[in-house]
Amino acid sequence: MNKLATAFLVESKKLFRSKVPLVSLLASLMIPFVGGLFMFILKDPELAQKMGVISAKAHIMGTADWPSYLGLLSQAIAVGGLFIFGFITSWVFGREYSDRTINDLLALPISRGAIVMGKFLVVGLWSLSLSVVVIVLGFIVGRIVDIPQWSTAIAGEGLLTFLLCAILTLFLSTPVALLASIGRGYLSPLGFIVFTLVTAQVVAVTGYGWYFPWSVPALLSQTVGQGSMAVEPLGIHILLVTGLVGMGATVCWWRYADHK
């Protein structure tokens, strides 16, 4: 446990001495502000018509009410989180190869498993912190815009769905860590993130999205305001297994692969 704590502290220092936290925070802050902008436009059809293209895109997001707004935030963290969380993961794991510090890191008197888990803890805690910032700021922006149909029940349902989407999306970051380790850098995981983002949209359209892990969080986000989460349990299980397999495979790669 002490070695895991040491690995966590070291990886935390690496992360927060870089620009990754600032970049990921700025990217995350766009979610509530863009969502609030869409709701502001939808509340005033005349203003929306004057804004041309922006109004057309805003109408795609639904109506100006809290269920639509919270669903939009959940969908944004489900889709945007794939990129933001994946970007953080690819940097935390890929930098060791790009900066040629992997051999020095593996020479430390800390087990490779503890190092990998320390990296996952840093990725997880920072990604969840970003998610909390997004939803808290989202509620503040929503109240400032004065979106209709506020109720504690809708807010509670939206908050629960948002957090579930964020956690499930975070689980999908573990295969990114594996790709960063196998690919020895940033390019492979970033290519994998783009591939999964595109493929998730295509598979969701075909109706089999619940069985493709990268589509599940976005589908879950669409249940806000329906009164109950009409989820496919098998899809959730497939996603969780995918995350655990990605984590286990990353640990095995660091422990047994030839890193010379």
PDB file of all heavy atoms in Angstrom, residues 107-120:
ATOM      1  N   ALA A 107      13.359   1.120 -13.178  1.00  0.00           N
ATOM      2  CA  ALA A 107      14.494   0.791 -12.315  1.00  0.00           C
ATOM      3  C   ALA A 107      14.240   1.164 -10.852  1.00  0.00           C
ATOM      4  O   ALA A 107      15.014   0.781  -9.971  1.00  0.00           O
ATOM      5  CB  ALA A 107      15.747   1.518 -12.818  1.00  0.00           C
ATOM      6  N   LEU A 108      13.172   1.901 -10.589  1.00  0.00           N
ATOM      7  CA  LEU A 108      12.864   2.307  -9.211  1.00  0.00           C
ATOM      8  C   LEU A 108      12.445   1.095  -8.374  1.00  0.00           C
ATOM      9  O   LEU A 108      11.899   0.119  -8.912  1.00  0.00           O
ATOM     10  CB  LEU A 108      11.734   3.347  -9.217  1.00  0.00           C
ATOM     11  CG  LEU A 108      12.043   4.687  -9.889  1.00  0.00           C
ATOM     12  CD1 LEU A 108      10.787   5.550  -9.935  1.00  0.00           C
ATOM     13  CD2 LEU A 108      13.160   5.413  -9.145  1.00  0.00           C
ATOM     14  N   PRO A 109      12.684   1.139  -7.059  1.00  0.00           N
ATOM     15  CA  PRO A 109      12.327   0.006  -6.189  1.00  0.00           C
ATOM     16  C   PRO A 109      10.830  -0.034  -5.870  1.00  0.00           C
ATOM     17  O   PRO A 109      10.427  -0.147  -4.710  1.00  0.00           O
ATOM     18  CB  PRO A 109      13.168   0.265  -4.938  1.00  0.00           C
ATOM     19  CG  PRO A 109      13.312   1.748  -4.891  1.00  0.00           C
ATOM     20  CD  PRO A 109      13.420   2.198  -6.320  1.00  0.00           C
ATOM     21  N   ILE A 110      10.033   0.092  -6.883  1.00  0.00           N
ATOM     22  CA  ILE A 110       8.568   0.015  -6.760  1.00  0.00           C
ATOM     23  C   ILE A 110       8.072  -0.949  -7.818  1.00  0.00           C
ATOM     24  O   ILE A 110       8.538  -0.912  -8.964  1.00  0.00           O
ATOM     25  CB  ILE A 110       7.911   1.404  -6.975  1.00  0.00           C
ATOM     26  CG1 ILE A 110       8.422   2.404  -5.943  1.00  0.00           C
ATOM     27  CG2 ILE A 110       6.390   1.300  -6.884  1.00  0.00           C
ATOM     28  CD1 ILE A 110       7.891   3.812  -6.130  1.00  0.00           C
ATOM     29  N   SER A 111       7.167  -1.830  -7.432  1.00  0.00           N
ATOM     30  CA  SER A 111       6.687  -2.824  -8.390  1.00  0.00           C
ATOM     31  C   SER A 111       6.000  -2.152  -9.567  1.00  0.00           C
ATOM     32  O   SER A 111       5.412  -1.070  -9.442  1.00  0.00           O
ATOM     33  CB  SER A 111       5.722  -3.791  -7.697  1.00  0.00           C
ATOM     34  OG  SER A 111       4.512  -3.124  -7.388  1.00  0.00           O
ATOM     35  N   ARG A 112       6.115  -2.809 -10.720  1.00  0.00           N
ATOM     36  CA  ARG A 112       5.511  -2.242 -11.922  1.00  0.00           C
ATOM     37  C   ARG A 112       3.980  -2.183 -11.792  1.00  0.00           C
ATOM     38  O   ARG A 112       3.352  -1.271 -12.325  1.00  0.00           O
ATOM     39  CB  ARG A 112       5.918  -3.077 -13.137  1.00  0.00           C
ATOM     40  CG  ARG A 112       7.419  -3.059 -13.368  1.00  0.00           C
ATOM     41  CD  ARG A 112       7.827  -3.846 -14.601  1.00  0.00           C
ATOM     42  NE  ARG A 112       9.279  -3.802 -14.773  1.00  0.00           N
ATOM     43  CZ  ARG A 112       9.918  -4.308 -15.820  1.00  0.00           C
ATOM     44  NH1 ARG A 112       9.226  -4.906 -16.777  1.00  0.00           N
ATOM     45  NH2 ARG A 112      11.246  -4.232 -15.902  1.00  0.00           N
ATOM     46  N   GLY A 113       3.423  -3.147 -11.096  1.00  0.00           N
ATOM     47  CA  GLY A 113       1.985  -3.122 -10.872  1.00  0.00           C
ATOM     48  C   GLY A 113       1.556  -1.897 -10.088  1.00  0.00           C
ATOM     49  O   GLY A 113       0.542  -1.259 -10.392  1.00  0.00           O
ATOM     50  N   ALA A 114       2.349  -1.531  -9.068  1.00  0.00           N
ATOM     51  CA  ALA A 114       2.030  -0.346  -8.258  1.00  0.00           C
ATOM     52  C   ALA A 114       2.163   0.920  -9.103  1.00  0.00           C
ATOM     53  O   ALA A 114       1.354   1.857  -8.954  1.00  0.00           O
ATOM     54  CB  ALA A 114       2.963  -0.273  -7.050  1.00  0.00           C
ATOM     55  N   ILE A 115       3.156   0.951  -9.982  1.00  0.00           N
ATOM     56  CA  ILE A 115       3.332   2.128 -10.843  1.00  0.00           C
ATOM     57  C   ILE A 115       2.123   2.304 -11.752  1.00  0.00           C
ATOM     58  O   ILE A 115       1.583   3.411 -11.888  1.00  0.00           O
ATOM     59  CB  ILE A 115       4.621   1.977 -11.683  1.00  0.00           C
ATOM     60  CG1 ILE A 115       5.851   2.030 -10.789  1.00  0.00           C
ATOM     61  CG2 ILE A 115       4.687   3.090 -12.745  1.00  0.00           C
ATOM     62  CD1 ILE A 115       7.155   1.732 -11.504  1.00  0.00           C
ATOM     63  N   VAL A 116       1.690   1.198 -12.370  1.00  0.00           N
ATOM     64  CA  VAL A 116       0.536   1.274 -13.272  1.00  0.00           C
ATOM     65  C   VAL A 116      -0.728   1.681 -12.519  1.00  0.00           C
ATOM     66  O   VAL A 116      -1.491   2.541 -12.972  1.00  0.00           O
ATOM     67  CB  VAL A 116       0.324  -0.082 -13.987  1.00  0.00           C
ATOM     68  CG1 VAL A 116      -0.962  -0.059 -14.801  1.00  0.00           C
ATOM     69  CG2 VAL A 116       1.506  -0.385 -14.885  1.00  0.00           C
ATOM     70  N   MET A 117      -0.947   1.081 -11.357  1.00  0.00           N
ATOM     71  CA  MET A 117      -2.148   1.422 -10.593  1.00  0.00           C
ATOM     72  C   MET A 117      -2.084   2.869 -10.087  1.00  0.00           C
ATOM     73  O   MET A 117      -3.118   3.543  -9.973  1.00  0.00           O
ATOM     74  CB  MET A 117      -2.311   0.454  -9.412  1.00  0.00           C
ATOM     75  CG  MET A 117      -2.592  -0.992  -9.835  1.00  0.00           C
ATOM     76  SD  MET A 117      -3.930  -1.157 -11.057  1.00  0.00           S
ATOM     77  CE  MET A 117      -5.322  -0.539 -10.123  1.00  0.00           C
ATOM     78  N   GLY A 118      -0.869   3.339  -9.755  1.00  0.00           N
ATOM     79  CA  GLY A 118      -0.721   4.732  -9.369  1.00  0.00           C
ATOM     80  C   GLY A 118      -1.103   5.664 -10.507  1.00  0.00           C
ATOM     81  O   GLY A 118      -1.759   6.695 -10.300  1.00  0.00           O
ATOM     82  N   LYS A 119      -0.714   5.287 -11.724  1.00  0.00           N
ATOM     83  CA  LYS A 119      -1.094   6.091 -12.891  1.00  0.00           C
ATOM     84  C   LYS A 119      -2.607   6.073 -13.096  1.00  0.00           C
ATOM     85  O   LYS A 119      -3.228   7.110 -13.375  1.00  0.00           O
ATOM     86  CB  LYS A 119      -0.378   5.549 -14.138  1.00  0.00           C
ATOM     87  CG  LYS A 119       1.118   5.832 -14.186  1.00  0.00           C
ATOM     88  CD  LYS A 119       1.747   5.240 -15.438  1.00  0.00           C
ATOM     89  CE  LYS A 119       3.220   5.599 -15.533  1.00  0.00           C
ATOM     90  NZ  LYS A 119       3.454   7.031 -15.756  1.00  0.00           N
ATOM     91  N   PHE A 120      -3.206   4.884 -12.959  1.00  0.00           N
ATOM     92  CA  PHE A 120      -4.668   4.797 -13.126  1.00  0.00           C
ATOM     93  C   PHE A 120      -5.393   5.628 -12.063  1.00  0.00           C
ATOM     94  O   PHE A 120      -6.428   6.260 -12.341  1.00  0.00           O
ATOM     95  CB  PHE A 120      -5.125   3.341 -13.058  1.00  0.00           C
ATOM     96  CG  PHE A 120      -5.032   2.611 -14.360  1.00  0.00           C
ATOM     97  CD1 PHE A 120      -4.347   1.414 -14.453  1.00  0.00           C
ATOM     98  CD2 PHE A 120      -5.631   3.116 -15.513  1.00  0.00           C
ATOM     99  CE1 PHE A 120      -4.255   0.724 -15.662  1.00  0.00           C
ATOM    100  CE2 PHE A 120      -5.539   2.445 -16.730  1.00  0.00           C
ATOM    101  CZ  PHE A 120      -4.850   1.243 -16.805  1.00  0.00           C
TER     102      PHE A 120
END
